[in-house]
Amino acid sequence: TAMLDDICAEGFNLVNIDYALVPEYHFPTPVMQANEAFRFLIDHAEKYHLDMEHVVIMGSSAGAIITSQLGSVITNPKYAALLGINPVLKPEQVKAIVIDDAPLDYDKFSLGTKVLVGNYIKGSIFLSKAEIIKYNNILSVTEDYIPCVLLGSEYYVDMRELHDALEEANIKHILIDPLAERNMQMPHCFVSSERVDKIAKDAFDRMISFIKQEAIDSAK
């Protein structure tokens, strides 16, 4: 939890949201649960000292998938309807999102990742085109998507694909990709090692700087 402690030390109030797991539940249940969690946080904002008009959503790995999809749920009514979700948060409440190494582009997955994600979606690697469209929200990025930080390591291909979609939609974002920047292959969700690894610390500092700047810019 060291990185979470350090995020708090940067002045953020942090809420960690749990979600249901396979095999009892499948996609998009965790996205629905995350959406409902924000309803609870809005209703209890005073109790927990939360400013729900200045929200940052962050997720790593499986959480990064949910985070990325929430970005589309909140900003793209067609995608929200596709998942059967009525978004609790309005786009203007969310100042930034952080997507830390999310596997999203199913068609380009390795077999191992297809087994992992296919099990999450429906218990099979054989997904229909409609199921892939629901899962891969890169296909649903619009010009209203939220400014974001992308961290790519194990799934750098997916983060580059999302980067390209954000570029095309003219969305403010940064891609932190050690393989492209330093020719360094970093482990999955490497930023969590920011206390002991210089490359991870640089990524953490850039992430925090981006989030804080977005909060400042949105207040102007």
Short mmCIF file of all heavy atoms in Angstrom, two decimals, residues 69-126:
data_model
loop_
_atom_site.label_atom_id
_atom_site.label_comp_id
_atom_site.label_asym_id
_atom_site.label_seq_id
_atom_site.Cartn_x
_atom_site.Cartn_y
_atom_site.Cartn_z
N GLN A 69 -13.06 1.90 -18.70
CA GLN A 69 -14.46 1.75 -19.11
C GLN A 69 -15.35 2.79 -18.43
O GLN A 69 -16.28 3.32 -19.06
CB GLN A 69 -14.92 0.33 -18.80
CG GLN A 69 -14.24 -0.71 -19.68
CD GLN A 69 -14.35 -2.13 -19.16
OE1 GLN A 69 -14.67 -2.35 -17.99
NE2 GLN A 69 -14.09 -3.10 -20.01
N LEU A 70 -15.07 3.12 -17.18
CA LEU A 70 -15.83 4.18 -16.51
C LEU A 70 -15.66 5.50 -17.24
O LEU A 70 -16.61 6.29 -17.34
CB LEU A 70 -15.37 4.33 -15.06
CG LEU A 70 -15.96 3.38 -14.03
CD1 LEU A 70 -15.27 3.58 -12.69
CD2 LEU A 70 -17.47 3.59 -13.88
N GLY A 71 -14.46 5.75 -17.75
CA GLY A 71 -14.24 6.97 -18.52
C GLY A 71 -15.19 7.09 -19.69
O GLY A 71 -15.72 8.16 -19.98
N SER A 72 -15.45 5.96 -20.34
CA SER A 72 -16.40 5.96 -21.47
C SER A 72 -17.84 5.97 -20.99
O SER A 72 -18.70 6.59 -21.62
CB SER A 72 -16.14 4.75 -22.37
OG SER A 72 -14.92 4.88 -23.08
N VAL A 73 -18.13 5.27 -19.90
CA VAL A 73 -19.50 5.29 -19.35
C VAL A 73 -19.92 6.72 -19.01
O VAL A 73 -21.03 7.16 -19.30
CB VAL A 73 -19.59 4.40 -18.09
CG1 VAL A 73 -20.87 4.68 -17.31
CG2 VAL A 73 -19.53 2.93 -18.48
N ILE A 74 -18.99 7.47 -18.40
CA ILE A 74 -19.28 8.83 -17.94
C ILE A 74 -19.39 9.82 -19.10
O ILE A 74 -20.15 10.79 -19.02
CB ILE A 74 -18.20 9.28 -16.93
CG1 ILE A 74 -18.30 8.43 -15.65
CG2 ILE A 74 -18.33 10.77 -16.58
CD1 ILE A 74 -17.09 8.56 -14.74
N THR A 75 -18.68 9.58 -20.19
CA THR A 75 -18.60 10.57 -21.27
C THR A 75 -19.28 10.17 -22.57
O THR A 75 -19.43 11.00 -23.46
CB THR A 75 -17.12 10.88 -21.59
OG1 THR A 75 -16.45 9.66 -22.00
CG2 THR A 75 -16.40 11.47 -20.38
N ASN A 76 -19.71 8.93 -22.68
CA ASN A 76 -20.30 8.45 -23.94
C ASN A 76 -21.62 7.75 -23.64
O ASN A 76 -21.64 6.58 -23.24
CB ASN A 76 -19.34 7.49 -24.65
CG ASN A 76 -19.85 7.04 -26.01
OD1 ASN A 76 -21.03 7.15 -26.31
ND2 ASN A 76 -18.96 6.52 -26.85
N PRO A 77 -22.75 8.44 -23.82
CA PRO A 77 -24.06 7.84 -23.50
C PRO A 77 -24.33 6.54 -24.24
O PRO A 77 -24.99 5.64 -23.69
CB PRO A 77 -25.04 8.93 -23.93
CG PRO A 77 -24.26 10.21 -23.85
CD PRO A 77 -22.87 9.84 -24.27
N LYS A 78 -23.84 6.40 -25.46
CA LYS A 78 -24.06 5.16 -26.20
C LYS A 78 -23.35 3.99 -25.54
O LYS A 78 -23.89 2.88 -25.45
CB LYS A 78 -23.57 5.32 -27.65
CG LYS A 78 -24.44 6.25 -28.48
CD LYS A 78 -23.95 6.31 -29.93
CE LYS A 78 -24.84 7.21 -30.78
NZ LYS A 78 -24.37 7.31 -32.18
N TYR A 79 -22.13 4.23 -25.06
CA TYR A 79 -21.40 3.16 -24.38
C TYR A 79 -22.06 2.83 -23.04
O TYR A 79 -22.18 1.66 -22.68
CB TYR A 79 -19.94 3.57 -24.16
CG TYR A 79 -19.09 2.46 -23.58
CD1 TYR A 79 -18.68 1.39 -24.36
CD2 TYR A 79 -18.72 2.48 -22.24
CE1 TYR A 79 -17.91 0.36 -23.83
CE2 TYR A 79 -17.95 1.46 -21.70
CZ TYR A 79 -17.55 0.41 -22.49
OH TYR A 79 -16.78 -0.62 -21.95
N ALA A 80 -22.49 3.85 -22.32
CA ALA A 80 -23.18 3.62 -21.05
C ALA A 80 -24.44 2.76 -21.27
O ALA A 80 -24.70 1.83 -20.50
CB ALA A 80 -23.55 4.96 -20.41
N ALA A 81 -25.18 3.07 -22.32
CA ALA A 81 -26.38 2.30 -22.63
C ALA A 81 -26.03 0.87 -23.02
O ALA A 81 -26.75 -0.08 -22.69
CB ALA A 81 -27.16 2.98 -23.75
N LEU A 82 -24.92 0.71 -23.72
CA LEU A 82 -24.46 -0.62 -24.13
C LEU A 82 -24.20 -1.51 -22.92
O LEU A 82 -24.50 -2.70 -22.93
CB LEU A 82 -23.18 -0.47 -24.96
CG LEU A 82 -22.74 -1.63 -25.85
CD1 LEU A 82 -23.79 -1.92 -26.92
CD2 LEU A 82 -21.40 -1.32 -26.49
N LEU A 83 -23.68 -0.90 -21.84
CA LEU A 83 -23.41 -1.65 -20.62
C LEU A 83 -24.58 -1.64 -19.65
O LEU A 83 -24.53 -2.30 -18.60
CB LEU A 83 -22.16 -1.08 -19.91
CG LEU A 83 -20.82 -1.71 -20.29
CD1 LEU A 83 -20.55 -1.62 -21.78
CD2 LEU A 83 -19.68 -1.06 -19.52
N GLY A 84 -25.64 -0.90 -19.99
CA GLY A 84 -26.81 -0.83 -19.12
C GLY A 84 -26.56 -0.05 -17.84
O GLY A 84 -27.08 -0.40 -16.78
N ILE A 85 -25.75 1.02 -17.94
CA ILE A 85 -25.37 1.80 -16.77
C ILE A 85 -25.83 3.24 -16.92
O ILE A 85 -25.61 3.86 -17.97
CB ILE A 85 -23.84 1.78 -16.56
CG1 ILE A 85 -23.35 0.35 -16.30
CG2 ILE A 85 -23.43 2.70 -15.41
CD1 ILE A 85 -21.85 0.22 -16.19
N ASN A 86 -26.44 3.77 -15.89
CA ASN A 86 -26.78 5.19 -15.82
C ASN A 86 -25.70 5.86 -14.98
O ASN A 86 -25.69 5.69 -13.75
CB ASN A 86 -28.16 5.39 -15.20
CG ASN A 86 -28.55 6.85 -15.14
OD1 ASN A 86 -28.06 7.67 -15.91
ND2 ASN A 86 -29.43 7.19 -14.22
N PRO A 87 -24.77 6.59 -15.58
CA PRO A 87 -23.62 7.10 -14.82
C PRO A 87 -24.02 8.04 -13.69
O PRO A 87 -24.85 8.93 -13.88
CB PRO A 87 -22.77 7.81 -15.88
CG PRO A 87 -23.69 8.07 -17.01
CD PRO A 87 -24.71 6.98 -16.99
N VAL A 88 -23.41 7.82 -12.54
CA VAL A 88 -23.66 8.67 -11.37
C VAL A 88 -22.90 9.98 -11.50
O VAL A 88 -23.43 11.06 -11.21
CB VAL A 88 -23.25 7.93 -10.08
CG1 VAL A 88 -23.27 8.87 -8.88
CG2 VAL A 88 -24.15 6.73 -9.85
N LEU A 89 -21.65 9.90 -11.93
CA LEU A 89 -20.81 11.09 -12.06
C LEU A 89 -21.04 11.79 -13.39
O LEU A 89 -21.21 11.13 -14.43
CB LEU A 89 -19.34 10.72 -11.94
CG LEU A 89 -18.85 10.23 -10.57
CD1 LEU A 89 -17.42 9.75 -10.68
CD2 LEU A 89 -18.98 11.32 -9.53
N LYS A 90 -21.02 13.11 -13.37
CA LYS A 90 -21.04 13.90 -14.59
C LYS A 90 -19.60 14.14 -15.02
O LYS A 90 -18.69 14.18 -14.18
CB LYS A 90 -21.75 15.23 -14.34
CG LYS A 90 -23.21 15.09 -13.96
CD LYS A 90 -23.83 16.46 -13.72
CE LYS A 90 -25.34 16.34 -13.44
NZ LYS A 90 -25.60 15.57 -12.22
N PRO A 91 -19.37 14.30 -16.32
CA PRO A 91 -17.99 14.49 -16.80
C PRO A 91 -17.25 15.61 -16.10
O PRO A 91 -16.05 15.48 -15.82
CB PRO A 91 -18.19 14.79 -18.29
CG PRO A 91 -19.46 14.12 -18.65
CD PRO A 91 -20.33 14.24 -17.45
N GLU A 92 -17.95 16.70 -15.79
CA GLU A 92 -17.26 17.84 -15.18
C GLU A 92 -16.82 17.56 -13.74
O GLU A 92 -15.99 18.30 -13.19
CB GLU A 92 -18.15 19.08 -15.21
CG GLU A 92 -19.49 18.94 -14.53
CD GLU A 92 -20.59 18.48 -15.47
OE1 GLU A 92 -20.28 17.87 -16.52
OE2 GLU A 92 -21.78 18.75 -15.14
N GLN A 93 -17.33 16.51 -13.11
CA GLN A 93 -16.90 16.17 -11.76
C GLN A 93 -15.57 15.43 -11.75
O GLN A 93 -14.88 15.40 -10.73
CB GLN A 93 -17.96 15.30 -11.06
CG GLN A 93 -19.25 16.02 -10.73
CD GLN A 93 -20.27 15.06 -10.13
OE1 GLN A 93 -21.04 14.43 -10.85
NE2 GLN A 93 -20.27 14.95 -8.82
N VAL A 94 -15.23 14.80 -12.85
CA VAL A 94 -14.02 13.98 -12.92
C VAL A 94 -12.92 14.78 -13.62
O VAL A 94 -13.01 15.08 -14.81
CB VAL A 94 -14.30 12.66 -13.67
CG1 VAL A 94 -13.07 11.76 -13.59
CG2 VAL A 94 -15.51 11.95 -13.10
N LYS A 95 -11.89 15.12 -12.87
CA LYS A 95 -10.83 15.98 -13.39
C LYS A 95 -9.76 15.20 -14.13
O LYS A 95 -9.10 15.75 -15.02
CB LYS A 95 -10.20 16.78 -12.24
CG LYS A 95 -11.21 17.60 -11.44
CD LYS A 95 -12.13 18.43 -12.35
CE LYS A 95 -13.20 19.16 -11.56
NZ LYS A 95 -14.16 19.87 -12.43
N ALA A 96 -9.57 13.93 -13.77
CA ALA A 96 -8.56 13.11 -14.45
C ALA A 96 -8.82 11.65 -14.11
O ALA A 96 -9.46 11.32 -13.11
CB ALA A 96 -7.15 13.51 -14.01
N ILE A 97 -8.30 10.78 -14.98
CA ILE A 97 -8.29 9.35 -14.67
C ILE A 97 -6.88 8.82 -14.93
O ILE A 97 -6.14 9.35 -15.76
CB ILE A 97 -9.35 8.55 -15.46
CG1 ILE A 97 -9.13 8.68 -16.97
CG2 ILE A 97 -10.74 8.98 -15.10
CD1 ILE A 97 -10.09 7.82 -17.77
N VAL A 98 -6.53 7.77 -14.20
CA VAL A 98 -5.23 7.12 -14.35
C VAL A 98 -5.47 5.66 -14.69
O VAL A 98 -6.10 4.93 -13.91
CB VAL A 98 -4.38 7.23 -13.07
CG1 VAL A 98 -3.04 6.52 -13.26
CG2 VAL A 98 -4.17 8.68 -12.67
N ILE A 99 -4.99 5.25 -15.86
CA ILE A 99 -5.19 3.88 -16.35
C ILE A 99 -3.83 3.19 -16.36
O ILE A 99 -2.98 3.45 -17.22
CB ILE A 99 -5.82 3.91 -17.77
CG1 ILE A 99 -7.14 4.66 -17.74
CG2 ILE A 99 -6.01 2.49 -18.30
CD1 ILE A 99 -7.71 4.97 -19.11
N ASP A 100 -3.62 2.33 -15.37
CA ASP A 100 -2.32 1.71 -15.14
C ASP A 100 -2.29 0.29 -15.69
O ASP A 100 -2.65 -0.65 -15.01
CB ASP A 100 -2.03 1.74 -13.64
CG ASP A 100 -0.69 1.10 -13.28
OD1 ASP A 100 0.16 0.93 -14.17
OD2 ASP A 100 -0.51 0.77 -12.09
N ASP A 101 -1.88 0.19 -16.97
CA ASP A 101 -1.57 -1.10 -17.57
C ASP A 101 -2.80 -2.00 -17.73
O ASP A 101 -2.86 -3.10 -17.17
CB ASP A 101 -0.49 -1.82 -16.76
CG ASP A 101 0.48 -2.60 -17.63
OD1 ASP A 101 0.55 -2.32 -18.84
OD2 ASP A 101 1.19 -3.46 -17.10
N ALA A 102 -3.76 -1.53 -18.52
CA ALA A 102 -5.01 -2.28 -18.72
C ALA A 102 -4.99 -3.05 -20.04
O ALA A 102 -4.73 -2.47 -21.09
CB ALA A 102 -6.19 -1.31 -18.73
N PRO A 103 -5.29 -4.34 -20.02
CA PRO A 103 -5.52 -5.07 -21.26
C PRO A 103 -6.91 -4.77 -21.80
O PRO A 103 -7.90 -5.10 -21.16
CB PRO A 103 -5.39 -6.54 -20.84
CG PRO A 103 -5.75 -6.54 -19.38
CD PRO A 103 -5.36 -5.21 -18.83
N LEU A 104 -6.98 -4.13 -22.97
CA LEU A 104 -8.26 -3.68 -23.52
C LEU A 104 -8.54 -4.18 -24.93
O LEU A 104 -9.67 -4.49 -25.27
CB LEU A 104 -8.31 -2.14 -23.53
CG LEU A 104 -8.29 -1.45 -22.16
CD1 LEU A 104 -8.11 0.06 -22.34
CD2 LEU A 104 -9.54 -1.74 -21.38
N ASP A 105 -7.51 -4.25 -25.77
CA ASP A 105 -7.71 -4.59 -27.18
C ASP A 105 -7.70 -6.10 -27.37
O ASP A 105 -6.67 -6.71 -27.67
CB ASP A 105 -6.62 -3.92 -28.03
CG ASP A 105 -6.92 -4.01 -29.51
OD1 ASP A 105 -7.89 -4.71 -29.89
OD2 ASP A 105 -6.19 -3.38 -30.31
N TYR A 106 -8.87 -6.72 -27.19
CA TYR A 106 -8.98 -8.17 -27.14
C TYR A 106 -8.41 -8.85 -28.38
O TYR A 106 -7.79 -9.92 -28.28
CB TYR A 106 -10.44 -8.58 -26.95
CG TYR A 106 -10.62 -10.03 -26.57
CD1 TYR A 106 -10.52 -10.43 -25.24
CD2 TYR A 106 -10.87 -11.00 -27.54
CE1 TYR A 106 -10.67 -11.76 -24.88
CE2 TYR A 106 -11.01 -12.33 -27.19
CZ TYR A 106 -10.91 -12.72 -25.86
OH TYR A 106 -11.04 -14.04 -25.52
N ASP A 107 -8.59 -8.26 -29.53
CA ASP A 107 -8.14 -8.88 -30.78
C ASP A 107 -6.63 -9.05 -30.83
O ASP A 107 -6.12 -9.89 -31.59
CB ASP A 107 -8.61 -8.06 -31.98
CG ASP A 107 -10.11 -8.16 -32.20
OD1 ASP A 107 -10.69 -9.19 -31.83
OD2 ASP A 107 -10.70 -7.20 -32.74
N LYS A 108 -5.90 -8.26 -30.04
CA LYS A 108 -4.43 -8.33 -30.06
C LYS A 108 -3.85 -9.03 -28.84
O LYS A 108 -2.63 -9.05 -28.66
CB LYS A 108 -3.85 -6.91 -30.18
CG LYS A 108 -4.21 -6.24 -31.50
CD LYS A 108 -3.56 -4.88 -31.64
CE LYS A 108 -3.93 -4.25 -32.98
NZ LYS A 108 -3.36 -2.88 -33.12
N PHE A 109 -4.69 -9.62 -28.01
CA PHE A 109 -4.21 -10.32 -26.82
C PHE A 109 -3.43 -11.58 -27.19
O PHE A 109 -3.72 -12.24 -28.19
CB PHE A 109 -5.38 -10.75 -25.93
CG PHE A 109 -6.05 -9.64 -25.17
CD1 PHE A 109 -7.23 -9.89 -24.50
CD2 PHE A 109 -5.52 -8.36 -25.13
CE1 PHE A 109 -7.87 -8.89 -23.78
CE2 PHE A 109 -6.16 -7.35 -24.42
CZ PHE A 109 -7.33 -7.61 -23.75
N SER A 110 -2.49 -11.94 -26.30
CA SER A 110 -1.90 -13.27 -26.36
C SER A 110 -2.95 -14.28 -25.91
O SER A 110 -4.00 -13.92 -25.34
CB SER A 110 -0.70 -13.35 -25.42
OG SER A 110 -1.13 -13.22 -24.07
N LEU A 111 -2.69 -15.56 -26.15
CA LEU A 111 -3.65 -16.59 -25.75
C LEU A 111 -3.87 -16.56 -24.24
O LEU A 111 -5.01 -16.69 -23.77
CB LEU A 111 -3.15 -17.97 -26.18
CG LEU A 111 -4.06 -19.15 -25.79
CD1 LEU A 111 -5.46 -19.00 -26.38
CD2 LEU A 111 -3.43 -20.47 -26.23
N GLY A 112 -2.79 -16.38 -23.48
CA GLY A 112 -2.92 -16.35 -22.04
C GLY A 112 -3.82 -15.23 -21.56
O GLY A 112 -4.65 -15.44 -20.66
N THR A 113 -3.69 -14.06 -22.18
CA THR A 113 -4.53 -12.92 -21.78
C THR A 113 -5.97 -13.14 -22.24
O THR A 113 -6.92 -12.74 -21.54
CB THR A 113 -3.98 -11.61 -22.33
OG1 THR A 113 -2.62 -11.45 -21.91
CG2 THR A 113 -4.78 -10.41 -21.84
N LYS A 114 -6.14 -13.77 -23.39
CA LYS A 114 -7.50 -14.08 -23.85
C LYS A 114 -8.20 -15.03 -22.88
O LYS A 114 -9.41 -14.89 -22.62
CB LYS A 114 -7.48 -14.67 -25.26
CG LYS A 114 -7.30 -13.65 -26.36
CD LYS A 114 -7.45 -14.26 -27.73
CE LYS A 114 -7.40 -13.16 -28.80
NZ LYS A 114 -7.55 -13.70 -30.17
N VAL A 115 -7.47 -15.98 -22.34
CA VAL A 115 -8.04 -16.90 -21.36
C VAL A 115 -8.45 -16.11 -20.10
O VAL A 115 -9.55 -16.28 -19.57
CB VAL A 115 -7.05 -18.01 -20.99
CG1 VAL A 115 -7.56 -18.82 -19.79
CG2 VAL A 115 -6.81 -18.92 -22.18
N LEU A 116 -7.54 -15.24 -19.65
CA LEU A 116 -7.79 -14.46 -18.44
C LEU A 116 -9.00 -13.55 -18.60
O LEU A 116 -9.92 -13.56 -17.78
CB LEU A 116 -6.54 -13.63 -18.12
CG LEU A 116 -6.52 -12.88 -16.80
CD1 LEU A 116 -6.39 -13.85 -15.63
CD2 LEU A 116 -5.35 -11.90 -16.79
N VAL A 117 -8.99 -12.75 -19.67
CA VAL A 117 -10.07 -11.78 -19.86
C VAL A 117 -11.35 -12.46 -20.34
O VAL A 117 -12.45 -12.08 -19.95
CB VAL A 117 -9.62 -10.67 -20.84
CG1 VAL A 117 -10.78 -9.73 -21.16
CG2 VAL A 117 -8.45 -9.89 -20.26
N GLY A 118 -11.21 -13.46 -21.19
CA GLY A 118 -12.39 -14.20 -21.65
C GLY A 118 -13.14 -14.83 -20.49
O GLY A 118 -14.38 -14.85 -20.47
N ASN A 119 -12.39 -15.32 -19.51
CA ASN A 119 -13.01 -15.88 -18.31
C ASN A 119 -13.78 -14.81 -17.55
O ASN A 119 -14.86 -15.06 -17.02
CB ASN A 119 -11.94 -16.50 -17.42
CG ASN A 119 -12.52 -17.27 -16.25
OD1 ASN A 119 -13.46 -18.02 -16.41
ND2 ASN A 119 -11.95 -17.06 -15.07
N TYR A 120 -13.21 -13.60 -17.52
CA TYR A 120 -13.86 -12.48 -16.84
C TYR A 120 -15.15 -12.08 -17.56
O TYR A 120 -16.16 -11.79 -16.93
CB TYR A 120 -12.89 -11.31 -16.78
CG TYR A 120 -13.48 -9.98 -16.38
CD1 TYR A 120 -14.28 -9.85 -15.24
CD2 TYR A 120 -13.21 -8.83 -17.12
CE1 TYR A 120 -14.80 -8.62 -14.86
CE2 TYR A 120 -13.74 -7.60 -16.76
CZ TYR A 120 -14.53 -7.50 -15.63
OH TYR A 120 -15.05 -6.28 -15.26
N ILE A 121 -15.12 -12.10 -18.89
CA ILE A 121 -16.28 -11.65 -19.65
C ILE A 121 -17.40 -12.69 -19.65
O ILE A 121 -18.55 -12.38 -19.36
CB ILE A 121 -15.87 -11.28 -21.09
CG1 ILE A 121 -14.91 -10.08 -21.07
CG2 ILE A 121 -17.10 -10.96 -21.95
CD1 ILE A 121 -14.31 -9.74 -22.41
N LYS A 122 -17.04 -13.94 -19.98
CA LYS A 122 -18.13 -14.94 -20.05
C LYS A 122 -17.67 -16.39 -19.85
O LYS A 122 -18.45 -17.31 -20.02
CB LYS A 122 -18.87 -14.82 -21.38
CG LYS A 122 -18.08 -15.27 -22.61
CD LYS A 122 -19.03 -15.32 -23.83
CE LYS A 122 -18.37 -15.97 -25.02
NZ LYS A 122 -19.29 -16.04 -26.18
N GLY A 123 -16.40 -16.59 -19.49
CA GLY A 123 -15.93 -17.95 -19.27
C GLY A 123 -15.50 -18.66 -20.53
O GLY A 123 -15.47 -19.89 -20.58
N SER A 124 -15.15 -17.90 -21.57
CA SER A 124 -14.72 -18.49 -22.84
C SER A 124 -13.83 -17.50 -23.58
O SER A 124 -13.99 -16.29 -23.45
CB SER A 124 -15.94 -18.82 -23.71
OG SER A 124 -15.54 -19.16 -25.04
N ILE A 125 -12.87 -18.02 -24.36
CA ILE A 125 -12.03 -17.13 -25.16
C ILE A 125 -12.70 -16.75 -26.47
O ILE A 125 -12.21 -15.88 -27.19
CB ILE A 125 -10.64 -17.76 -25.46
CG1 ILE A 125 -10.78 -19.00 -26.34
CG2 ILE A 125 -9.90 -18.07 -24.18
CD1 ILE A 125 -9.46 -19.52 -26.87
N PHE A 126 -13.82 -17.38 -26.77
CA PHE A 126 -14.49 -17.14 -28.05
C PHE A 126 -15.56 -16.06 -27.87
O PHE A 126 -16.72 -16.36 -27.58
CB PHE A 126 -15.09 -18.44 -28.59
CG PHE A 126 -14.07 -19.52 -28.80
CD1 PHE A 126 -14.00 -20.61 -27.95
CD2 PHE A 126 -13.14 -19.42 -29.84
CE1 PHE A 126 -13.05 -21.59 -28.12
CE2 PHE A 126 -12.18 -20.40 -30.02
CZ PHE A 126 -12.12 -21.48 -29.16
#
